């Protein structure tokens, strides 16, 4: 193989695989697919706010969400199903005052009632996403 | 050094190394917090320290990339840097942006997406810095006498770095869409365009160190980056197995990402073959060590450790565990930290107008850091295996399972300590050139 044929293979292949990637991307994010898998109609104002609160406190740098993030604290994508809404609410209300936990402690966060409602709704919406049956069990 | 303006790369390497030290310091803090959760709590909680750990990583690597490019491009295209003033302006802008961001993190000023925690104002500053850099490099290339494949691939890699970073500004309300395009920054960087940058540096180093024929080296370069693009683009699919994206990604992602090891196999073959065929005895043996080392350790970290959990049947159990952390550490260090250190090892003595001299300390630091990082990865692999078994197989609650992993976290912290010693040896050697090198 010469340098110029290697170069042409590189350019040609990159173009071909970019096109395939774009087609697969289109298929992933088309409205019917998103509709079926993520229920965007359930993204209420509260869910939007919850996502903002999630980001404001960089929850992802301790917890994971659908397996992505840090691994210092439990998975939260299915937390409502695992612990129930009441427990999640209690944890957040405690965190708003003094932080939560005894071993690895969650810091105290200034969470208003609106923030807590938002987070709960955000977690609830996350829990309804079709994740191809992940995680293997409820413990995440 | 053939062109005076190449020296503008020098402050970039210094900044990179100091920020690298900062990254390791914060790595030690979060490593300690795994064992003593109250360490520095609540002043520097885990999420803040971890954010600083991974952001300093990105910033120092990009400083290293830019510095290495400012050294490489003039020599490749045969001409001075278009504007050294501009290079210094965006050096200080980038350093200020990086330091302000990190200090801001300590005061809880940050965004909330992994790796992209920079506030929007800092993100804009980063875009401006990269555009100034791209302009300067492009003008240097246009004004130079030659245009080599290495310089063009390198420039292409940086254009990709800039373009894919723009997805960091896209924050849709639908978390699935958010995650989908988040990977267009993170995956497209580290499993895509950054590999172009790395392969260009590797080719440059092998030409300079072994005196091999440029035509051969550049053919290898295109083969390597061909493999990168053929596997890495659709290999993005291995991130789309469980985040709400369609199941067809399990097929596409598995087949393509399974071959993501190919460019790393090619880099190892390239490095060993060229060093074996060398037409002259290299005077800078430490640079050869780093160059061959980066090929080998990136093959292990990105290639083998990546392959280990890339198939959906396995990833179903390992996704979101310490297995990911073990792969991340060895891959980032082997590929991107070590290629920057290889370029530093080659370029810095030249910029100081010194012979490499005795490089015992530098080579010692190489072995300490590489072996320590291997053991960090192995410790985290052990942690991950136990975590998968307890939490994913036996369905033990997260915190309870963590209690059984402490031994591995202890090992990881210990080898983090030895890694820090290796880095200190490296920095001592780097900052006391008079003891280790001789003037021309």
């Amino acid at each position: 193989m010469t340098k110029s044929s290697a170069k042409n293979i590189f350019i040609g292949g990159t173009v071909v695989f970019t096109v395939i990637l774009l087609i697969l991307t289109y298929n992933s994010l088309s409205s019917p697919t998103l509709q079926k898998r993520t229920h965007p109609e359930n993204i209420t104002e509260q869910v939007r706010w919850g996502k903002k609160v999630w980001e404001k406190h960089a929850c992802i740098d301790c917890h994971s969400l659908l397996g992505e993030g840090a691994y210092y604290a439990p998975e939260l994508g299915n937390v409502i199903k695992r612990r129930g809404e009441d427990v999640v609410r209690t944890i957040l209300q405690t965190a708003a005052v003094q932080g939560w936990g005894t071993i690895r402690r969650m810091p105290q966060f200034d969470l208003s009632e609106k923030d807590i409602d938002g987070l709960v709704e955000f977690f609830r919406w996350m829990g309804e996403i079709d994740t191809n049956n992940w995680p293997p069990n409820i413990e995440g | 050094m053939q062109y005076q303006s190449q020296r503008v790369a020098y402050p970039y390497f210094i900044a990179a190394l100091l920020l690298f030290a900062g990254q390791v310091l914060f790595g030690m803090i979060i490593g300690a917090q795994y064992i003593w959760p109250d360490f520095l709590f609540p002043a520097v909680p885990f999420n803040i320290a971890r954010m600083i750990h991974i952001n300093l990583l990105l910033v120092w690597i990009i400083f290293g990339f830019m510095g290495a490019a400012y050294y490489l491009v003039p020599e490749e295209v045969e001409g001075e840097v278009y504007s050294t003033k501009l290079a210094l302006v965006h050096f200080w802008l980038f350093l200020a942006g990086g330091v302000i961001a990190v200090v801001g993190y300590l005061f809880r000023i940050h965004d909330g997406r992994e790796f992209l925690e920079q506030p929007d104002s800092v993100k804009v500053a980063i875009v401006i810095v990269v555009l100034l850099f791209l302009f300067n490099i492009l003008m240097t290339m246009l004004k130079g006498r030659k245009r080599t494949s290495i310089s063009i691939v390198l420039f292409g890699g940086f254009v990709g770095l800039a373009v894919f970073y723009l997805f960091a500004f896209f924050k849709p309300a639908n978390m699935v869409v958010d995650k989908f395009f988040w990977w267009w920054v993170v995956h497209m960087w580290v499993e895509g365009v950054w590999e172009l940058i790395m392969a260009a540096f590797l080719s440059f180093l092998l030409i300079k160190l072994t005196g091999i024929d440029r035509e051969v080296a550049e053919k290898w370069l295109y083969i390597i980056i061909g493999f990168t693009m053929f596997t890495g683009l659709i290999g993005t699919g291995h991130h789309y197995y469980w985040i709400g994206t369609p199941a067809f990604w399990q097929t596409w992602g598995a087949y393509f990402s399974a071959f993501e090891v190919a460019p790393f196999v090619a880099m190892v073959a390239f490095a060993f073959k060229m060093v074996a065929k060398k037409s002259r005895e290299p005077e800078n043996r430490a640079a050869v060590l780093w160059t061959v080392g980066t090929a080998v350790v990136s093959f292990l970290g990105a290639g083998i450790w990546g392959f280990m959990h890339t198939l959906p049947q396995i990833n179903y159990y390992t996704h979101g565990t310490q297995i990911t952390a073990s792969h991340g550490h060895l891959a980032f260090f082997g590929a991107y930290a070590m290629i920057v250190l290889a370029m530093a090892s080659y370029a810095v003595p030249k910029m100081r107008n010194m012979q490499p001299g005795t490089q015992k300390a530098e080579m010692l630091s190489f072995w300490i850091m590489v072996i320590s990082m291997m053991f960090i990865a192995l410790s985290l692999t052990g942690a991950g295996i136990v975590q998968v078994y307890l939490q994913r197989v036996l369905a033990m609650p997260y915190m309870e399972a963590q209690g059984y992993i402490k031994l591995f976290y202890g090992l990881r912290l210990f080898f983090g300590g030895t890694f820090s010693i290796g880095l200190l040896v490296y920095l001592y050697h780097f900052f006391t050139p008079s003891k280790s090198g001789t003037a021309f």
Side-chain angles (χ1 to χ4, degrees):
Chain A
M1 195 196 293
T2 63
K3 182 178 128 187
S4 81
S5 58
K7 181 180 170 182
N8 291 334
I9 293 171
F10 160 71
I11 293 171
T14 302
V15 171
V16 169
F17 291 114
T18 302
V19 171
I20 298 175
L21 177 69
L22 292 175
I23 294 169
L24 294 176
T25 297
Y26 177 79
N27 281 337
S28 306
L29 303 179
S30 67
S31 322
T33 311
L34 277 184
Q35 199 70 37
K36 201 168 74 205
R37 305 187 65 94
T38 71
H39 308 289
E41 71 278 7
N42 294 340
I43 303 179
T44 58
E45 269 315 304
Q46 280 186 316
V47 174
R48 284 168 187 269
W49 184 254
K51 182 174 185 275
K52 290 215 169 79
V53 178
W54 166 265
E55 287 168 1
K56 183 182 172 201
H57 298 295
C59 307
I60 197 82
D61 278 303
C62 287
H63 291 277
S64 61
L65 190 68
L66 304 189
E68 293 173 354
Y71 320 113
Y72 188 71
E75 161 70 26
L76 294 182
N78 62 352
V79 70
I80 299 281
K81 283 179 184 159
R82 186 190 322 139
R83 299 284 181 253
E85 183 184 326
D86 290 346
V87 174
V88 173
R89 227 170 245 287
T90 305
I91 292 173
L92 291 171
Q93 280 159 354
T94 312
V97 184
Q98 58 172 35
W100 170 264
T102 49
I103 310 168
R104 292 181 195 166
R105 285 185 291 161
M106 189 157 84
Q108 187 272 327
F109 292 119
D110 290 317
L111 298 171
S112 65
E113 273 306 311
K114 183 188 173 197
D115 294 346
I116 293 172
D117 289 342
L119 281 171
V120 167
E121 291 311 313
F122 171 66
F123 291 139
R124 195 195 313 280
W125 172 77
M126 287 298 303
E128 297 304 320
I129 292 169
D130 181 351
T131 57
N132 298 323
N133 209 22
W134 191 91
N137 63 66
I138 193 70
E139 292 303 334
Chain B
M1 198 170 70
Q2 295 168 14
Y3 298 90
Q4 273 310 313
S5 55
Q6 284 176 286
R7 207 178 173 282
V8 78
Y10 193 52
Y12 281 85
F13 284 112
I14 290 176
L17 290 173
L18 294 177
L19 296 168
F20 180 23
Q23 188 213 347
V24 172
L25 175 67
F26 277 87
M28 289 298 289
I29 290 173
I30 50 182
Q33 287 179 336
Y34 263 99
I35 300 165
W36 304 289
D38 286 335
F39 179 62
L40 293 184
F41 186 89
V44 188
F46 184 93
N47 63 336
I48 298 295
R50 195 242 188 196
M51 184 187 299
I52 295 175
H53 178 61
I54 59 178
N55 277 254
L56 283 176
L57 165 68
L58 295 185
V59 176
W60 89 257
I61 295 286
I62 293 174
F63 259 117
F65 281 178
M66 286 180 171
Y70 273 124
Y71 185 86
L72 177 150
V73 171
E75 218 162 288
E76 281 289 302
V77 305
E78 295 181 5
E80 300 284 353
V81 170
Y82 172 70
S83 167
T84 50
K85 208 178 261 172
L86 186 60
L88 286 174
V89 166
H90 78 67
F91 168 82
W92 286 110
L93 187 56
F94 192 31
L95 190 61
V99 170
I100 289 170
V102 166
V103 173
Y105 294 166
L106 289 170
F107 292 96
R108 313 295 186 270
I109 301 165
H110 53 69
D111 241 15
R113 299 189 308 156
E114 215 186 345
F115 287 107
L116 307 179
E117 291 93 343
Q118 312 87 39
D120 278 345
S121 53
V122 176
K123 285 197 180 91
V124 170
I126 291 172
V127 170
I128 293 170
V129 165
V130 174
L131 287 178
L132 293 175
F133 167 79
L134 282 175
F135 170 75
N136 212 6
I137 293 290
L138 180 67
M139 291 307 288
T140 306
M141 288 171 70
L142 292 177
K143 291 209 140 191
R145 271 186 293 279
K146 283 202 313 192
R147 228 155 293 159
T148 65
S149 297
I150 290 176
S151 58
I152 292 169
V153 169
L154 182 66
F155 185 72
F158 278 113
V159 170
L161 183 154
V163 168
F164 286 114
Y165 186 67
L166 296 179
F167 288 96
F169 290 93
F170 180 51
K171 289 180 259 185
N174 187 328
M175 188 52 115
V176 173
V177 182
D178 183 318
K179 283 171 172 291
F180 190 97
F181 286 109
W182 180 84
W183 284 114
W184 282 38
V185 186
V186 176
H187 173 93
M188 293 302 181
W189 270 14
V190 301
E191 298 176 63
V193 292
W194 283 26
E195 283 183 40
L196 269 60
I197 296 171
M198 178 192 178
F201 290 152
L202 189 72
S203 307
F204 173 80
L205 284 166
L206 286 170
I207 290 174
K208 296 290 166 178
L209 292 169
T210 69
I212 51 158
D213 183 42
R214 174 174 288 275
E215 281 293 302
V216 176
E218 293 187 333
K219 181 179 83 179
W220 275 92
L221 172 61
Y222 280 118
I223 293 173
I224 291 166
I225 62 173
F227 279 142
T228 300
M229 288 296 144
F230 302 168
T231 61
L233 283 168
I234 299 175
T236 318
H238 65 182
H239 303 293
Y240 297 159
Y241 296 160
W242 326 114
I243 61 166
T245 34
F248 64 69
W249 286 108
Q250 293 181 18
T251 315
W252 288 93
Y255 281 111
F256 280 84
S257 70
F259 292 100
E260 276 190 43
V261 67
F264 295 100
V265 173
M267 279 194 257
V268 171
F270 179 37
F272 275 103
K273 216 169 156 174
M274 296 306 130
V275 171
K277 283 207 307 198
K278 62 182 180 289
S279 62
R280 58 167 179 262
E281 216 38 60
E283 58 186 27
N284 188 338
R285 290 179 53 226
V288 177
L289 188 61
W290 284 111
T291 304
V292 175
T294 188
V296 172
V297 182
S298 63
F299 163 72
L300 292 173
I304 302 294
W305 254 253
F307 179 77
M308 191 168 74
H309 59 145
T310 200
L311 299 178
Q313 293 83 352
I314 295 169
N315 193 262
Y316 184 63
Y317 293 97
T318 60
H319 178 59
T321 65
Q322 297 293 339
I323 296 289
T324 315
S326 75
H327 158 63
H329 279 82
L330 197 58
F332 254 114
F333 178 70
Y336 302 123
M338 286 179 70
I339 192 69
V340 169
L341 296 178
M343 285 297 290
S345 183
Y346 174 74
V348 167
K350 292 198 181 288
M351 288 188 287
R352 287 175 176 156
N353 281 326
M354 293 176 97
Q355 298 279 13
T358 168
Q359 296 174 303
K360 275 192 188 135
E362 189 182 346
M363 294 207 262
L364 177 68
S365 75
F366 169 93
W367 288 110
I368 299 175
M369 283 196 275
V370 167
I371 292 171
S372 300
M373 189 52 82
M374 288 292 306
F375 277 101
I376 288 174
L378 286 171
S379 308
L380 290 174
T381 306
I385 292 170
V386 176
Q387 186 184 9
V388 166
Y389 184 69
L390 296 179
Q391 188 185 324
R392 295 283 162 75
V393 179
L394 299 186
M396 186 185 281
Y398 173 90
M399 273 314 296
E400 197 186 333
Q402 290 293 307
Y404 291 93
I405 309 176
K406 263 199 171 158
L407 169 69
F408 293 100
Y409 292 142
L411 287 171
R412 186 264 299 269
L413 185 63
F414 174 80
F415 290 110
T418 60
F419 185 94
S420 306
I421 292 169
L423 179 60
L424 288 175
V425 173
Y426 181 91
L427 293 174
Y428 173 77
H429 175 262
F430 185 92
F431 286 107
T432 54
S434 54
K435 289 186 185 159
S436 51
T438 47
F440 276 116

